[in-house]
Amino acid sequence: MSTPGPTLPGQAEGPATVRLDVWLWSARLFPTRAAATAACRGGHVRRNGDPVKAAQKVSVGDELRVRSPGRERIVVVTRILTKRVGAPIARESYEDHSPEPAPQLLAAPPRRDRGTGRPTKRERRQLDRLRGRES
């Protein structure tokens, strides 16, 4: 008789579903459960295209769209997690279908030298143009 494989931390053999905010926190998409709940409440999380509340259940195969400043992450749930786990295991709990972030977001923001004071109106306009916020 064969023995079942080792169970991973955070993956009990029982639940087929878990609260959305718990899964988002466990999969390390949010630093705290409160932040995951606030994102759900603010309408920044969608499950299969529909806005969801934090207490709704998520199951394997669900597509989640998580909006954060300047980026949208699209993940498909592949494993149910009930406890926060290490980053490598958390990364295996979903498939990431997110588009690449904009190149402006990857570049470090320009810094002013210490002691130069506040930027002038002209310098602010140049910074806005550089950051892509032209009005």
PDB file of all heavy atoms in Angstrom, residues 43-65:
ATOM      1  N   GLY A  43     -12.911  47.496  -3.375  1.00  0.00           N
ATOM      2  CA  GLY A  43     -13.214  47.096  -4.749  1.00  0.00           C
ATOM      3  C   GLY A  43     -11.980  46.822  -5.590  1.00  0.00           C
ATOM      4  O   GLY A  43     -12.054  46.804  -6.815  1.00  0.00           O
ATOM      5  N   HIS A  44     -10.838  46.587  -4.959  1.00  0.00           N
ATOM      6  CA  HIS A  44      -9.596  46.355  -5.690  1.00  0.00           C
ATOM      7  C   HIS A  44      -9.341  44.892  -5.988  1.00  0.00           C
ATOM      8  O   HIS A  44      -8.330  44.560  -6.608  1.00  0.00           O
ATOM      9  CB  HIS A  44      -8.414  46.926  -4.904  1.00  0.00           C
ATOM     10  CG  HIS A  44      -8.529  48.391  -4.648  1.00  0.00           C
ATOM     11  ND1 HIS A  44      -8.459  49.335  -5.644  1.00  0.00           N
ATOM     12  CD2 HIS A  44      -8.753  49.085  -3.505  1.00  0.00           C
ATOM     13  CE1 HIS A  44      -8.610  50.529  -5.127  1.00  0.00           C
ATOM     14  NE2 HIS A  44      -8.799  50.408  -3.830  1.00  0.00           N
ATOM     15  N   VAL A  45     -10.228  44.007  -5.532  1.00  0.00           N
ATOM     16  CA  VAL A  45     -10.059  42.575  -5.770  1.00  0.00           C
ATOM     17  C   VAL A  45     -11.302  42.056  -6.476  1.00  0.00           C
ATOM     18  O   VAL A  45     -12.428  42.345  -6.065  1.00  0.00           O
ATOM     19  CB  VAL A  45      -9.840  41.799  -4.442  1.00  0.00           C
ATOM     20  CG1 VAL A  45      -9.670  40.321  -4.709  1.00  0.00           C
ATOM     21  CG2 VAL A  45      -8.647  42.348  -3.689  1.00  0.00           C
ATOM     22  N   ARG A  46     -11.080  41.299  -7.557  1.00  0.00           N
ATOM     23  CA  ARG A  46     -12.191  40.694  -8.298  1.00  0.00           C
ATOM     24  C   ARG A  46     -11.930  39.202  -8.444  1.00  0.00           C
ATOM     25  O   ARG A  46     -10.794  38.792  -8.691  1.00  0.00           O
ATOM     26  CB  ARG A  46     -12.342  41.316  -9.681  1.00  0.00           C
ATOM     27  CG  ARG A  46     -12.804  42.759  -9.626  1.00  0.00           C
ATOM     28  CD  ARG A  46     -12.905  43.343 -11.024  1.00  0.00           C
ATOM     29  NE  ARG A  46     -13.544  44.631 -10.967  1.00  0.00           N
ATOM     30  CZ  ARG A  46     -14.841  44.830 -11.159  1.00  0.00           C
ATOM     31  NH1 ARG A  46     -15.624  43.819 -11.456  1.00  0.00           N
ATOM     32  NH2 ARG A  46     -15.356  46.023 -11.085  1.00  0.00           N
ATOM     33  N   ARG A  47     -12.995  38.413  -8.308  1.00  0.00           N
ATOM     34  CA  ARG A  47     -12.895  36.970  -8.505  1.00  0.00           C
ATOM     35  C   ARG A  47     -13.721  36.620  -9.721  1.00  0.00           C
ATOM     36  O   ARG A  47     -14.917  36.885  -9.764  1.00  0.00           O
ATOM     37  CB  ARG A  47     -13.397  36.207  -7.286  1.00  0.00           C
ATOM     38  CG  ARG A  47     -13.231  34.692  -7.459  1.00  0.00           C
ATOM     39  CD  ARG A  47     -13.838  33.916  -6.333  1.00  0.00           C
ATOM     40  NE  ARG A  47     -15.287  34.067  -6.463  1.00  0.00           N
ATOM     41  CZ  ARG A  47     -16.145  33.944  -5.462  1.00  0.00           C
ATOM     42  NH1 ARG A  47     -15.714  33.695  -4.253  1.00  0.00           N
ATOM     43  NH2 ARG A  47     -17.428  34.090  -5.654  1.00  0.00           N
ATOM     44  N   ASN A  48     -13.082  36.049 -10.729  1.00  0.00           N
ATOM     45  CA  ASN A  48     -13.742  35.679 -11.978  1.00  0.00           C
ATOM     46  C   ASN A  48     -14.505  36.868 -12.571  1.00  0.00           C
ATOM     47  O   ASN A  48     -15.601  36.723 -13.098  1.00  0.00           O
ATOM     48  CB  ASN A  48     -14.667  34.485 -11.774  1.00  0.00           C
ATOM     49  CG  ASN A  48     -13.926  33.266 -11.281  1.00  0.00           C
ATOM     50  OD1 ASN A  48     -12.770  33.048 -11.632  1.00  0.00           O
ATOM     51  ND2 ASN A  48     -14.564  32.474 -10.448  1.00  0.00           N
ATOM     52  N   GLY A  49     -13.935  38.069 -12.441  1.00  0.00           N
ATOM     53  CA  GLY A  49     -14.522  39.268 -13.033  1.00  0.00           C
ATOM     54  C   GLY A  49     -15.491  40.024 -12.159  1.00  0.00           C
ATOM     55  O   GLY A  49     -15.899  41.129 -12.501  1.00  0.00           O
ATOM     56  N   ASP A  50     -15.918  39.469 -11.037  1.00  0.00           N
ATOM     57  CA  ASP A  50     -16.894  40.119 -10.165  1.00  0.00           C
ATOM     58  C   ASP A  50     -16.224  40.631  -8.898  1.00  0.00           C
ATOM     59  O   ASP A  50     -15.390  39.946  -8.320  1.00  0.00           O
ATOM     60  CB  ASP A  50     -18.002  39.127  -9.769  1.00  0.00           C
ATOM     61  CG  ASP A  50     -18.754  38.606 -10.979  1.00  0.00           C
ATOM     62  OD1 ASP A  50     -18.966  39.379 -11.923  1.00  0.00           O
ATOM     63  OD2 ASP A  50     -19.117  37.414 -10.971  1.00  0.00           O
ATOM     64  N   PRO A  51     -16.625  41.838  -8.427  1.00  0.00           N
ATOM     65  CA  PRO A  51     -16.079  42.315  -7.154  1.00  0.00           C
ATOM     66  C   PRO A  51     -16.501  41.383  -6.020  1.00  0.00           C
ATOM     67  O   PRO A  51     -17.598  40.824  -6.046  1.00  0.00           O
ATOM     68  CB  PRO A  51     -16.693  43.699  -6.974  1.00  0.00           C
ATOM     69  CG  PRO A  51     -17.599  43.927  -8.111  1.00  0.00           C
ATOM     70  CD  PRO A  51     -17.551  42.759  -9.029  1.00  0.00           C
ATOM     71  N   VAL A  52     -15.628  41.194  -5.057  1.00  0.00           N
ATOM     72  CA  VAL A  52     -15.904  40.257  -3.968  1.00  0.00           C
ATOM     73  C   VAL A  52     -15.697  40.909  -2.618  1.00  0.00           C
ATOM     74  O   VAL A  52     -14.981  41.890  -2.487  1.00  0.00           O
ATOM     75  CB  VAL A  52     -15.015  39.000  -4.063  1.00  0.00           C
ATOM     76  CG1 VAL A  52     -15.377  38.160  -5.243  1.00  0.00           C
ATOM     77  CG2 VAL A  52     -13.558  39.366  -4.101  1.00  0.00           C
ATOM     78  N   LYS A  53     -16.345  40.315  -1.622  1.00  0.00           N
ATOM     79  CA  LYS A  53     -16.122  40.708  -0.232  1.00  0.00           C
ATOM     80  C   LYS A  53     -15.055  39.794   0.352  1.00  0.00           C
ATOM     81  O   LYS A  53     -14.795  38.704  -0.159  1.00  0.00           O
ATOM     82  CB  LYS A  53     -17.417  40.579   0.563  1.00  0.00           C
ATOM     83  CG  LYS A  53     -18.485  41.546   0.121  1.00  0.00           C
ATOM     84  CD  LYS A  53     -19.707  41.419   0.990  1.00  0.00           C
ATOM     85  CE  LYS A  53     -20.759  42.426   0.569  1.00  0.00           C
ATOM     86  NZ  LYS A  53     -21.963  42.329   1.400  1.00  0.00           N
ATOM     87  N   ALA A  54     -14.456  40.239   1.437  1.00  0.00           N
ATOM     88  CA  ALA A  54     -13.350  39.494   2.037  1.00  0.00           C
ATOM     89  C   ALA A  54     -13.781  38.126   2.553  1.00  0.00           C
ATOM     90  O   ALA A  54     -12.988  37.197   2.571  1.00  0.00           O
ATOM     91  CB  ALA A  54     -12.745  40.307   3.174  1.00  0.00           C
ATOM     92  N   ALA A  55     -15.032  37.988   2.969  1.00  0.00           N
ATOM     93  CA  ALA A  55     -15.483  36.733   3.570  1.00  0.00           C
ATOM     94  C   ALA A  55     -15.917  35.704   2.541  1.00  0.00           C
ATOM     95  O   ALA A  55     -16.193  34.558   2.899  1.00  0.00           O
ATOM     96  CB  ALA A  55     -16.636  37.005   4.530  1.00  0.00           C
ATOM     97  N   GLN A  56     -15.975  36.065   1.265  1.00  0.00           N
ATOM     98  CA  GLN A  56     -16.394  35.089   0.263  1.00  0.00           C
ATOM     99  C   GLN A  56     -15.318  34.027   0.077  1.00  0.00           C
ATOM    100  O   GLN A  56     -14.133  34.266   0.322  1.00  0.00           O
ATOM    101  CB  GLN A  56     -16.717  35.787  -1.057  1.00  0.00           C
ATOM    102  CG  GLN A  56     -17.983  36.603  -0.970  1.00  0.00           C
ATOM    103  CD  GLN A  56     -18.367  37.200  -2.298  1.00  0.00           C
ATOM    104  OE1 GLN A  56     -17.610  37.171  -3.255  1.00  0.00           O
ATOM    105  NE2 GLN A  56     -19.568  37.747  -2.364  1.00  0.00           N
ATOM    106  N   LYS A  57     -15.738  32.869  -0.334  1.00  0.00           N
ATOM    107  CA  LYS A  57     -14.835  31.716  -0.444  1.00  0.00           C
ATOM    108  C   LYS A  57     -14.116  31.709  -1.785  1.00  0.00           C
ATOM    109  O   LYS A  57     -14.677  32.086  -2.810  1.00  0.00           O
ATOM    110  CB  LYS A  57     -15.618  30.410  -0.280  1.00  0.00           C
ATOM    111  CG  LYS A  57     -16.344  30.297   1.049  1.00  0.00           C
ATOM    112  CD  LYS A  57     -15.383  30.219   2.194  1.00  0.00           C
ATOM    113  CE  LYS A  57     -16.126  30.007   3.500  1.00  0.00           C
ATOM    114  NZ  LYS A  57     -15.236  29.971   4.632  1.00  0.00           N
ATOM    115  N   VAL A  58     -12.879  31.274  -1.753  1.00  0.00           N
ATOM    116  CA  VAL A  58     -12.085  31.100  -2.952  1.00  0.00           C
ATOM    117  C   VAL A  58     -11.722  29.620  -3.055  1.00  0.00           C
ATOM    118  O   VAL A  58     -11.492  28.968  -2.042  1.00  0.00           O
ATOM    119  CB  VAL A  58     -10.827  32.004  -2.940  1.00  0.00           C
ATOM    120  CG1 VAL A  58      -9.875  31.608  -1.849  1.00  0.00           C
ATOM    121  CG2 VAL A  58     -10.124  31.995  -4.264  1.00  0.00           C
ATOM    122  N   SER A  59     -11.727  29.091  -4.272  1.00  0.00           N
ATOM    123  CA  SER A  59     -11.399  27.680  -4.465  1.00  0.00           C
ATOM    124  C   SER A  59     -10.404  27.549  -5.619  1.00  0.00           C
ATOM    125  O   SER A  59     -10.135  28.510  -6.335  1.00  0.00           O
ATOM    126  CB  SER A  59     -12.668  26.868  -4.749  1.00  0.00           C
ATOM    127  OG  SER A  59     -13.320  27.367  -5.891  1.00  0.00           O
ATOM    128  N   VAL A  60      -9.886  26.367  -5.797  1.00  0.00           N
ATOM    129  CA  VAL A  60      -8.898  26.110  -6.846  1.00  0.00           C
ATOM    130  C   VAL A  60      -9.543  26.389  -8.206  1.00  0.00           C
ATOM    131  O   VAL A  60     -10.674  26.000  -8.468  1.00  0.00           O
ATOM    132  CB  VAL A  60      -8.396  24.653  -6.764  1.00  0.00           C
ATOM    133  CG1 VAL A  60      -7.495  24.321  -7.940  1.00  0.00           C
ATOM    134  CG2 VAL A  60      -7.671  24.419  -5.454  1.00  0.00           C
ATOM    135  N   GLY A  61      -8.808  27.096  -9.061  1.00  0.00           N
ATOM    136  CA  GLY A  61      -9.293  27.413 -10.396  1.00  0.00           C
ATOM    137  C   GLY A  61      -9.862  28.814 -10.515  1.00  0.00           C
ATOM    138  O   GLY A  61     -10.084  29.285 -11.628  1.00  0.00           O
ATOM    139  N   ASP A  62     -10.098  29.504  -9.402  1.00  0.00           N
ATOM    140  CA  ASP A  62     -10.617  30.873  -9.454  1.00  0.00           C
ATOM    141  C   ASP A  62      -9.548  31.821  -9.969  1.00  0.00           C
ATOM    142  O   ASP A  62      -8.370  31.702  -9.630  1.00  0.00           O
ATOM    143  CB  ASP A  62     -11.071  31.343  -8.067  1.00  0.00           C
ATOM    144  CG  ASP A  62     -12.382  30.721  -7.635  1.00  0.00           C
ATOM    145  OD1 ASP A  62     -13.074  30.129  -8.490  1.00  0.00           O
ATOM    146  OD2 ASP A  62     -12.716  30.826  -6.445  1.00  0.00           O
ATOM    147  N   GLU A  63      -9.980  32.787 -10.790  1.00  0.00           N
ATOM    148  CA  GLU A  63      -9.075  33.834 -11.273  1.00  0.00           C
ATOM    149  C   GLU A  63      -9.284  35.073 -10.419  1.00  0.00           C
ATOM    150  O   GLU A  63     -10.410  35.546 -10.285  1.00  0.00           O
ATOM    151  CB  GLU A  63      -9.347  34.167 -12.731  1.00  0.00           C
ATOM    152  CG  GLU A  63      -8.444  35.271 -13.250  1.00  0.00           C
ATOM    153  CD  GLU A  63      -8.868  35.778 -14.607  1.00  0.00           C
ATOM    154  OE1 GLU A  63      -9.896  36.457 -14.700  1.00  0.00           O
ATOM    155  OE2 GLU A  63      -8.133  35.498 -15.577  1.00  0.00           O
ATOM    156  N   LEU A  64      -8.219  35.589  -9.845  1.00  0.00           N
ATOM    157  CA  LEU A  64      -8.292  36.772  -9.000  1.00  0.00           C
ATOM    158  C   LEU A  64      -7.533  37.907  -9.673  1.00  0.00           C
ATOM    159  O   LEU A  64      -6.421  37.710 -10.168  1.00  0.00           O
ATOM    160  CB  LEU A  64      -7.674  36.499  -7.625  1.00  0.00           C
ATOM    161  CG  LEU A  64      -8.280  35.359  -6.823  1.00  0.00           C
ATOM    162  CD1 LEU A  64      -7.487  35.153  -5.547  1.00  0.00           C
ATOM    163  CD2 LEU A  64      -9.725  35.639  -6.510  1.00  0.00           C
ATOM    164  N   ARG A  65      -8.150  39.082  -9.692  1.00  0.00           N
ATOM    165  CA  ARG A  65      -7.498  40.287 -10.201  1.00  0.00           C
ATOM    166  C   ARG A  65      -7.329  41.231  -9.032  1.00  0.00           C
ATOM    167  O   ARG A  65      -8.310  41.663  -8.432  1.00  0.00           O
ATOM    168  CB  ARG A  65      -8.334  40.951 -11.295  1.00  0.00           C
ATOM    169  CG  ARG A  65      -8.388  40.133 -12.555  1.00  0.00           C
ATOM    170  CD  ARG A  65      -9.278  40.782 -13.608  1.00  0.00           C
ATOM    171  NE  ARG A  65      -9.246  40.011 -14.824  1.00  0.00           N
ATOM    172  CZ  ARG A  65      -8.475  40.301 -15.873  1.00  0.00           C
ATOM    173  NH1 ARG A  65      -7.703  41.363 -15.837  1.00  0.00           N
ATOM    174  NH2 ARG A  65      -8.496  39.553 -16.942  1.00  0.00           N
TER     175      ARG A  65
END
